[in-house]
């Protein structure tokens, strides 16, 4: 999963000399929380709705007033490239509590990656638009056991719509979260237990 496949291309921008009121109008019209600031094709900063609110409080004017964007824009900007992984971008957005990340090719703005872009990717990857039965299975860090799991579903004639495998607390264990194309949950659970698989408790013990 790469940023270039999931980003929003051709993002709206402002220049450093645009007024804050003009920037506020763009944000309001398109329901944006962030606007990249571009000068001569090069990204030089970013303007957020928080910056606009603070500027309005300071000036006592309407949204932003006639001050130029350069007065309040942020010049130290985190960014990603189209070749960066979506996972790395997600980590930055989560840790830094950003609402979006500009996507740069060199110093040229080519897109923006928003929280909504990440949510859409999550929905698509997990195939959550389809009705499925979800189950978590804990097993040793052994792909042979995982292959047995997939064979079991194939023998049942049940398609695996998506699967996420992640470390499970204790060393050496894995957790597989599967979405399978059936609504007969009891039959799936019986088959898993008959094959000796451990079904994880959906409620954390912490």
């Amino acid at each position: 999963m790469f940023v270039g496949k999931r980003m929003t291309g051709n993002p709206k921008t402002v220049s450093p000399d645009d007024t804050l009121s003009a920037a506020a109008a763009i944000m309001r019209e398109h329901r944006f929380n962030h606007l990249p600031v571009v000068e001569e094709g090069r990204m030089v900063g970013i303007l957020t709705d928080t910056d606009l609110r603070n500027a309005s409080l300071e000036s006592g004017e309407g949204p932003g007033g006639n001050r130029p964007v350069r007065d309040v824009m942020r010049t130290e900007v985190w960014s990603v490239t189209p070749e960066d992984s979506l996972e790395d971008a997600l980590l930055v957005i989560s840790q830094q509590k950003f609402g979006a990340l500009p996507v740069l090719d060199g110093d040229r703005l080519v897109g923006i990656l928003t929280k909504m872009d990440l949510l859409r990717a999550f929905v698509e990857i997990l195939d959550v638009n389809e009705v499925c039965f979800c189950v978590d299975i804990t097993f040793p860090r052994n792909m042979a056991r995982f292959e047995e799991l997939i064979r079991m579903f194939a023998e049942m004639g049940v398609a695996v719509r998506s699967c996420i495998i992640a470390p499970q607390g204790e060393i050496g264990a894995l957790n597989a979260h599967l979405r399978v194309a059936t609504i007969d949950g009891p039959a799936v659970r019986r088959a898993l237990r008959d094959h000796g698989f451990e079904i994880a408790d959906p409620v954390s013990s912490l």
Side-chain angles (χ1 to χ4, degrees):
M1 297 185 289
F2 296 100
V3 168
K5 296 289 187 180
R6 304 291 180 175
M7 69 184 187
T8 298
N10 301 314
K12 295 287 185 182
T13 65
V14 289
S15 80
D17 295 321
D18 285 334
T19 63
L20 294 179
S21 58
I26 294 173
M27 286 187 176
R28 188 167 52 248
E29 178 183 355
H30 298 282
R31 298 183 179 180
F32 293 155
N33 295 318
H34 307 76
L35 270 179
V37 184
V38 175
E39 186 173 35
E40 297 180 355
R42 185 173 63 89
M43 183 170 173
V44 294
I46 196 163
L47 184 71
T48 71
D49 54 354
T50 300
D51 299 327
L52 284 173
R53 284 196 300 271
N54 290 340
S56 297
L57 289 173
E58 290 173 4
S59 66
E61 300 178 9
N66 292 320
R67 294 172 63 190
V69 167
R70 69 171 70 251
D71 280 1
V72 299
M73 71 181 190
R74 305 180 187 201
T75 56
E76 294 184 5
V77 182
W78 289 67
S79 65
V80 288
T81 73
E83 294 77 26
D84 285 332
S85 72
L86 208 61
E87 301 94 304
D88 288 342
L90 177 61
L91 186 62
V92 172
I93 284 177
S94 173
Q95 290 183 340
Q96 300 299 323
K97 297 180 173 58
F98 293 149
L101 280 173
V103 185
L104 302 183
D105 183 2
D107 60 3
R108 186 172 63 89
L109 181 73
V110 294
I112 193 163
L113 186 73
T114 68
K115 287 182 178 179
M116 186 56 65
D117 294 324
L118 291 171
L119 284 172
R120 291 192 189 102
F122 189 74
V123 166
E124 182 180 331
I125 291 164
L126 290 185
D127 199 16
V128 297
N129 288 315
E130 299 294 330
V131 176
C132 292
F133 174 70
C134 296
V135 62
D136 278 17
I137 302 158
T138 300
F139 57 96
R141 198 180 291 267
N142 185 326
M143 292 312 294
R145 191 70 171 132
F146 180 73
E147 291 169 2
E148 181 185 345
L149 175 66
I150 299 302
R151 280 197 304 272
M152 186 205 79
F153 283 117
E155 291 167 1
M156 292 178 64
V158 174
V160 177
R161 304 294 305 200
S162 64
C163 177
I164 295 178
I165 300 177
Q168 175 73 15
E170 58 191 78
I171 297 174
L174 295 173
N175 182 81
H177 176 79
L178 294 103
R179 290 177 54 82
V180 294
T182 182
I183 58 173
D184 192 354
V188 169
R189 290 180 177 274
R190 282 195 301 272
L192 288 168
R193 291 192 176 102
D194 288 346
H195 283 73
F197 287 104
E198 179 185 350
I199 300 174
D201 189 338
V203 179
S204 173
S205 60
L206 297 179

